[in-house]
Amino acid sequence: MKRPRTLRGQLTFFFASSVLGTLLLYGALVTAVLATGEWLEHRADPRLGLTEGIFDEALQALGAMFLSIPFAVVGSLALGGRLADRALAPLREASDRVRVARASELDLRLPVRGTSDEWDTLASTLNELLADARASFERIRSFTADAAHELRTPLTVILGETEVSLRRDRAPAEYRRTLEVVLDETRRLTHLVDELLQLARADAGARVLEAEPVDLFLLAKGALQRTEQHLAARSRSLTLELQGNPTTVQGSPVLLSHVLDNLLSNALRHARQRIRVEVRATDAGVQVTVGDDGPGVDPAFQARLFQRFARADPSRTGEGTGLGLALSRTIAEAHGGTLDYARSDGESRFTFRLPKPGAADGPPPLGAHASAGRTTP
């Protein structure tokens, strides 16, 4: 099987072939010019044929050309090899850097010489790709560490409670208490795994491809009804308000409902007497505000409010997984929207904005006939 020629060999061969081809072409042209000139001279004066042969000078030039060919080949190969080595120097440096780079750190940057040639363009493009990969790797490593920490806590509680209960025989009430703790932690674990799964799907943006016309007012009404049922189960009383009109956007009803549930769940934990949801169409799109009259977010914590696993409670033992707001913002961005927090008029407000649907989105879905104005579900 014929072995492929190396890139250096190809460049050297190309350079030597070019030099040899140029030499042959130049020699052929010189020989042809000399031969033509001598032929014209003999034709004009036939007596010249008695003293010298026709094409003598041309044959001498042709002989000199063939004698110089071996020297030209050797010289062109040597010079071509040197030029090829110089041209391939950035590739060798890049190869050395890749060889010593560590995949776990991705601390790799290819050399850019500042010549604006093809190699600089390729190296700059690859450096941008490596920078993106480095940032993604750091996010994944941080997310994995946080997820492992969050998963470890309920598993430790379940393991500890079970081991303590099995050390000796206990009364039925003690077994019941242990099972209740295990059930609570298992539910928390299940909720955390579900949030992680939703977050991974939202990051991929795969489900947003199934966008369809969605009435945010109907979604908000359904979310408030679920919140009301949750309050009734806990024998807790809060005033729930819904303001706005039927407003259609293009998106995934499942994911958008998840955002509303997350925001209402967050408001439920902090509200003192009232939770307010407002759905409003603006010039830029649609805006959903979920407000509560709770104490608000600590200003020192606001910068980390939407970070994954970030919670104001440093002991990390409160309700929630620390993923709800991060997941909601990811879903909003996957829909081309935003999610922000602000404190205004004694109210904590999470504002969820979505872009205006295009003209091709079609009419609102059937059933979007909820009454407009202020509503208390």
Side-chain angles (χ1 to χ4, degrees):
M1 182 177 178
K2 187 177 179 181
R3 186 177 181 181
R5 188 179 291 134
T6 63
L7 182 56
R8 180 182 181 281
Q10 291 183 41
L11 290 174
T12 303
F13 178 77
F14 176 77
F15 180 80
S17 300
S18 299
V19 171
L20 187 59
T22 303
L23 180 62
L24 291 174
L25 179 61
Y26 178 74
L29 288 174
V30 170
T31 302
V33 170
L34 290 175
T36 303
E38 291 185 56
W39 179 76
L40 290 174
E41 289 180 0
H42 281 79
R43 185 178 179 184
D45 187 1
R47 291 175 300 176
L48 291 176
L50 299 176
T51 57
E52 58 183 44
I54 191 171
F55 303 141
D56 283 349
E57 293 181 359
L59 291 175
Q60 289 176 3
L62 190 61
M65 184 188 68
F66 279 107
L67 286 175
S68 64
I69 284 179
F71 300 98
V73 171
V74 174
S76 62
L77 286 175
L79 184 59
R82 187 173 181 80
L83 292 176
D85 284 339
R86 186 172 180 179
L88 296 176
L91 285 178
R92 284 196 300 275
E93 184 180 353
S95 177
D96 293 339
R97 292 191 185 188
V98 171
R99 190 178 298 112
V100 300
R102 297 175 58 188
S104 59
E105 296 181 357
L106 288 177
D107 52 347
L108 174 63
R109 182 172 177 81
L110 300 179
V112 179
R113 301 177 298 172
T115 55
S116 302
D117 57 5
E118 290 78 3
W119 166 254
D120 273 8
T121 302
L122 175 62
S124 299
T125 304
L126 290 177
N127 283 337
E128 292 175 3
L129 179 64
L130 288 169
D132 287 343
R134 201 157 39 235
S136 298
F137 186 80
E138 288 299 326
R139 285 197 297 271
I140 292 172
R141 182 159 56 185
S142 175
F143 178 75
T144 303
D146 288 341
H149 176 83
E150 294 294 328
L151 290 170
R152 184 181 179 183
T153 302
L155 288 174
T156 301
V157 173
I158 292 172
L159 183 62
E161 288 288 333
T162 306
E163 287 179 346
V164 170
S165 297
L166 293 177
R167 284 177 184 170
R168 59 179 175 80
D169 291 337
R170 298 179 182 275
E174 291 181 85
Y175 284 124
R176 183 177 183 81
R177 187 200 66 79
T178 299
L179 288 175
E180 288 175 349
V181 172
V182 170
L183 180 61
D184 288 343
E185 292 301 323
T186 303
R187 283 174 175 164
R188 181 183 171 193
L189 194 59
T190 303
H191 182 59
L192 179 59
V193 171
D194 182 62
E195 293 274 73
L196 289 172
L197 183 61
Q198 292 280 354
L199 196 56
R201 288 175 174 170
D203 279 342
R207 296 178 65 177
V208 182
L209 296 177
E210 303 168 2
E212 58 184 84
V214 180
D215 187 340
L216 279 179
F217 188 84
L218 280 183
L219 289 187
K221 189 173 183 179
L224 279 172
Q225 288 172 346
R226 289 190 292 273
T227 302
E228 190 176 35
Q229 294 170 359
H230 185 72
L231 285 171
R234 294 195 171 191
S235 300
R236 186 180 173 190
S237 177
L238 281 176
T239 300
L240 305 180
E241 299 176 2
L242 176 60
Q243 302 170 2
N245 299 290
T247 307
T248 302
V249 297
Q250 195 75 9
S252 164
V254 175
L255 292 178
L256 295 178
S257 293
H258 200 73
V259 172
L260 291 169
D261 287 339
N262 279 339
L263 297 181
L264 284 171
S265 176
N266 180 72
L268 199 60
R269 286 198 294 272
H270 303 288
R272 293 191 177 102
Q273 296 180 341
R274 181 175 63 92
I275 295 177
R276 180 181 66 89
V277 178
E278 181 185 20
V279 181
R280 185 164 63 92
T282 66
D283 294 338
V286 179
Q287 176 176 305
V288 181
T289 301
V290 178
D292 66 79
D293 59 351
V297 179
D298 184 354
F301 180 70
Q302 287 186 16
R304 300 177 55 234
L305 183 59
F306 293 98
Q307 291 181 5
R308 296 172 184 185
F309 295 110
R311 280 183 285 184
D313 180 7
S315 63
R316 303 168 74 94
T317 56
E319 291 185 36
T321 61
L323 286 173
L325 293 178
L327 174 59
S328 299
R329 173 172 273 189
T330 301
I331 292 175
E333 291 174 348
H335 282 78
T338 59
L339 175 62
D340 300 297
Y341 168 80
R343 179 80 176 174
S344 179
D345 299 330
E347 187 181 56
S348 296
R349 295 174 182 172
F350 285 88
T351 303
F352 176 33
R353 297 182 179 85
L354 291 177
K356 184 180 296 183
D361 292 338
L366 295 176
H369 302 303
S371 58
R374 189 182 182 95
T375 305
T376 301

